[in-house]
Amino acid sequence: MPDSYAVKPVSGPLDARIRPPGSKSITNRALVCAALAQGRSHLTGVLHSDDTRVMIEGLGKLGIAVEPAGDASLAVEGCGGEIPALEADLFIGNSGTTVRFLTALVTLGHGAFRLDGVPRMRERPIGDLADALNALGAKVQCESPGGCPPVEVHANGLPGGAAAVRGDISSQFLSGLMMAAPCADRPVELSVNGELVSKPYVAMTLEVMRAFGADGAAADDLSSFSIPCSGYRACDYAIEPDASAASYFWAAAAIAGGTVTVEGLSMDALQGDVHVVDCLEKMGCRVERQADAISVTGGSLHGAELDMNAISDTAQTIAAVALFAEGPTTITGIGHNRHKETDRIGDLAVELRKLGATVDEHDDGMTITPGSLRPAEVATYDDHRMAMSLALVGLRQPGVVILDPGCTSKTYPEFFRDLESITA
Ligand SMILES: O=C(O)C1=C[C@@H](OP(=O)(O)O)[C@@H](O)[C@H](O)C1
Ligand SMILES: C=C(OP(=O)(O)O)C(=O)O
């Protein structure tokens, strides 16, 4: 990828269909469950990107073979809950799911394991996961201030029992604990302290675990879980297209006008991020929800008040749309977005202002008041979502240049090719 990408404004309303690549979140969960399962699993619709590569490489270093099995398909030789490697140094880039899920997974092993990533990963919290694993009898230590990676694990199986985990920083702590739990020595009881953010991802974790034969009972509000020592069974598992990636195409219709249909997703998807279309509808778009596709048609856009706690990966997408709306848009409930690839409130505000908006930053979100848009070189902070969302502004505003467009490789290496395919 070159150092910058000049977005080409569209010449008229869109009329396109697209199927984005597989879900990052489901791919990395299916890999973990398949890795721990008894037997050989086949995963289809897999996402190939930085975040899934570091997961696959990590599992490889733990002695769990993940092999290509055709287009977007992988075969995983499960270890039946017995991690083969006795030691491993895992490099997990800036993948939150990988570092949180594998930290929990390696506690099931016997030996010394270390997980580390890029400099930003050393600022992303994991201490509350370490505390919960330690309450279950593990030995996990975080080396960076504030409880951040590198993480050292001295594993001798996970005894199990009861633990509480904090829910308001990242739901990935809970998901990591849940996926390791069926392979612990004793049943695991988990309770969540504080408000649980990103809830649909926890429901997704349970669904993927169940597909691989693990059982788990959850309170209706996802505040507590009982997970027996069932282990996992290998299976053939089909992964949905990525709904966070789909948000850019739906938002393209909102911004450029016309209709974009995303194939392979419905409102029953495992991914909560499909509900970004509800936000677009509130802002004036028309949404058609079909059994295996969701279409968005652009309309006259107006600002809205949106609690995006459950779907925070799409907050940047909505922020880009807000620049074209009549009146202010307020996004709330996304305080946890400050701990992601970058500070997705503060840094997003800086870039939106460059494009001409007035932005009031709040602890848990922002109010975006559109102004006259202007050309800008948009910095992306090594955050794929900053690049993908703010590129959409250039579909209508000439002169938008995205710096370091290659950062989309974290979850969507072919993003700009696909964006061109729907706007051509
Ligand atoms: O569990 C998952 O797959 C994810 C959970 C969310 O993180 P938080 O729980 O940290 O909000 C989300 O932002 C991330 O992209 C993927
Ligand atoms: C926050 C994200 O990823 P992760 O936390 O898995 O690094 C993301 O993909 O937007």
Side-chain angles (χ1 to χ4, degrees), residues 62-150:
L62 295 172
I64 297 161
V66 180
E67 292 157 5
D71 192 27
S73 299
L74 293 171
V76 184
E77 202 59 63
C79 70
E82 303 287 334
I83 312 289
L86 297 181
E87 56 178 10
D89 231 323
L90 309 182
F91 178 78
I92 42 66
N94 193 8
S95 172
T97 52
T98 306
V99 77
R100 276 93 180 228
F101 300 171
L102 288 188
T103 292
L105 181 144
V106 297
T107 65
L108 301 167
H110 297 269
F113 304 98
R114 188 164 189 275
L115 300 93
D116 196 5
V118 301
R120 173 62 179 169
M121 184 45 88
R122 293 183 170 195
E123 300 171 347
R124 297 187 65 188
I126 193 166
D128 294 301
L129 171 59
D131 291 347
L133 288 164
N134 290 339
L136 297 176
K139 282 201 182 122
V140 182
Q141 263 192 325
C142 306
E143 292 177 16
S144 296
C148 296

Side-chain angles (χ1 to χ4, degrees), residues 8 16 28 32 51 56 66 87 125 128 139 172 177 181 212 248 294 310 369 372 400:
K8 231 171 85 196
N28 274 357
V32 166
D51 277 14
I56 292 167
V66 180
E87 56 178 10
D128 294 301
K139 282 201 182 122
Q172 295 172 3
L177 288 161
F212 283 85
Y248 308 114
I294 302 172
T369 306
S372 13
V400 173

